[in-house]
Amino acid sequence: MAAAPPQSPRPATSRLPTGPTFDQELCGLVLDTAPRLFAVVQVCGESLPGADGWIAAWGVADHSGQAHVFSIDGRARMTLTSPDRALRHFAGRPGITARLVWLAQPSAAAVDRTEAA
């Protein structure tokens, strides 16, 4: 008669991952390399009480420092060596200045589209 295999003192259970999951690693990679989004805002009468401002363009700065800028009216698309270079293109008229306004650095990412919404 064959001997029965020894019984394990603990039942077999699946192990839960102890480190980050692959999806979490992907989201971390995305956050680490995400481009920065900014607006180019034109301001009229900046130092006056009735100053006015509007968005003239949106831009994306990538990890290399380059900026890709798109005017609101769709007439201008530029690739520049830095976001600051965009200011030259939008501050040329007398009494009009231009500023960069940065959106906050992304702090969350999701693999599932419904989670990202």
Side-chain angles (χ1 to χ4, degrees):
M1 179 167 162
Q7 294 292 321
S8 165
R10 292 185 291 186
T13 58
S14 62
R15 291 186 177 189
L16 296 175
T18 56
T21 66
F22 183 66
D23 285 352
Q24 289 170 326
E25 288 181 24
L26 288 177
C27 289
L29 175 67
V30 167
L31 290 173
D32 290 345
T33 60
R36 298 278 320 272
L37 184 62
F38 62 92
V40 179
V41 178
Q42 288 180 316
V43 178
C44 180
E46 184 168 358
S47 59
L48 302 174
D52 193 13
W54 55 90
I55 297 171
W58 284 100
V60 177
D62 63 29
H63 66 280
S64 71
Q66 279 193 331
H68 308 280
V69 181
F70 308 90
S71 66
I72 292 295
D73 63 12
R75 293 182 184 175
R77 294 181 184 179
M78 300 171 255
T79 298
L80 306 164
T81 57
S82 73
D84 292 328
R85 298 271 183 177
L87 298 177
R88 293 179 185 176
H89 298 279
F90 292 96
R93 297 190 320 208
I96 302 290
T97 59
R99 298 182 187 184
L100 298 180
V101 177
W102 294 90
L103 269 65
Q105 187 76 359
S107 60
V111 173
D112 185 5
R113 184 176 177 157
T114 57
E115 290 177 27

